[in-house]
Amino acid sequence: AQSVTQLDSHVSVSEGTPVLLRCNYSSSYSPSLFWYVQHPNKGLQLLLKYTSAATLVKGINGFEAEFKKSETSFHLTKPSAHMSDAAEYFCVVSGMEYGNKLVFGAGTILRVKS
Amino acid sequence: SQTIHQWPATLVQPVGSPLSLECTVEGTSNPNLYWYRQAAGRGLQLLFYSVGIGQISSEVPQNLSASRPQDRQFILSSKKLLLSDSGFYLCAWSVGPGATEAFFGQGTRLTVV
């Protein structure tokens, strides 16, 4: 079974409009969840993380994500897209059942139109 | 503060040649270290991880090997490269144990020709 599923391989939004990148995970226990961003030919930068504290997590660059256990989701949102947000985004799950290693989704490429 | 260095940034190697990619971490002790490979549209695949000097775990069978000769040094190697080894390789570290975030190097774009 897929450990983490990013529901959209590509998302396109206009500058100034909201961003929604969807992620569902599978975990029998309380997982740790992360969102990373990657600009072309660069390493990955941590946007935010959930580790069983507040379910609404605020990250850098105006991004936030909400942990919904009942829906097994951890969607990433931003109220207003900026051109510099264009990148690839990865949802990541970790926890005891994964040997505490990071398991990556396939990624979502975000395009921002002017 | 902690930093991670990975080099080279790009590399073009002929089929059958050896490979050595190096990664070093500064500002922390006894980190967990990782090598990932990234293929387009397929996310990141964990190749190797290490929880200490000389302790290497391989996640997938392949043409590559890893070594950790010092606490903060992690090396990815191959004796003979294959075309299928082409890709973007990322080194990362984390504070262990536990399900914590990892911090990534800038990556190496390897093209085997």
Side-chain angles (χ1 to χ4, degrees):
Chain A
Q2 189 72 27
S3 306
V4 57
T5 302
Q6 292 183 242
L7 297 159
D8 306 292
S9 59
H10 293 78
V11 170
S12 182
V13 301
S14 297
E15 190 175 21
T17 64
V19 176
L20 170 64
L21 304 183
R22 298 182 294 166
C23 173
N24 286 99
Y25 68 91
S26 58
S27 177
S28 302
Y29 304 96
S30 296
S32 293
L33 293 158
F34 312 87
W35 276 98
Y36 283 84
V37 61
Q38 184 183 32
H39 289 90
N41 291 312
K42 298 294 185 184
L44 278 72
Q45 181 184 20
L46 180 67
L47 277 179
L48 49 81
K49 62 180 179 180
Y50 166 78
T51 54
S52 73
T55 57
L56 181 62
V57 182
K58 293 188 183 298
I60 62 172
N61 301 335
F63 284 95
E64 62 182 38
E66 186 171 8
F67 173 70
K68 292 187 176 180
K69 187 174 182 178
S70 60
E71 300 176 9
T72 61
S73 69
F74 190 59
H75 301 334
L76 181 71
T77 60
K78 183 174 180 177
S80 177
H82 191 273
M83 295 298 290
S84 60
D85 294 327
E88 188 164 16
Y89 292 79
F90 292 95
C91 182
V92 183
V93 65
S94 186
M96 287 179 55
E97 64 195 287
Y98 302 111
N100 288 330
K101 288 174 278 187
L102 300 181
V103 178
F104 283 77
T108 298
I109 295 174
L110 174 65
R111 179 185 170 211
V112 182
K113 298 175 289 184
S114 58
Chain B
S1 64
Q2 302 89 359
T3 56
I4 179 169
H5 302 280
Q6 184 181 343
W7 68 94
T10 60
L11 189 60
V12 180
Q13 291 284 96
V15 169
S17 64
L19 172 73
S20 180
L21 302 181
E22 189 162 345
C23 173
T24 59
V25 180
E26 297 177 357
T28 187
S29 297
N30 198 30
N32 292 341
L33 295 171
Y34 309 85
W35 278 111
Y36 288 87
R37 177 167 55 202
Q38 184 176 22
R42 294 172 61 184
L44 272 71
Q45 180 185 38
L46 179 62
L47 302 176
F48 301 96
Y49 72 95
S50 170
V51 298
I53 295 174
Q55 301 178 61
I56 310 293
S57 296
S58 174
E59 290 294 297
V60 293
Q62 60 212 317
N63 185 41
L64 302 168
S65 63
S67 62
R68 185 171 178 173
Q70 300 181 46
D71 181 44
R72 291 170 291 175
Q73 183 184 28
F74 206 26
I75 298 171
L76 183 69
S77 303
S78 173
K79 292 182 179 178
K80 289 185 178 181
L81 283 168
L82 306 172
L83 286 173
S84 57
D85 292 324
S86 294
F88 194 54
Y89 289 84
L90 288 156
C91 180
W93 74 272
S94 69
V95 176
T100 64
E101 67 269 33
F103 302 93
F104 286 80
Q106 290 300 294
T108 296
R109 172 71 61 191
L110 172 66
T111 304
V112 182
V113 296

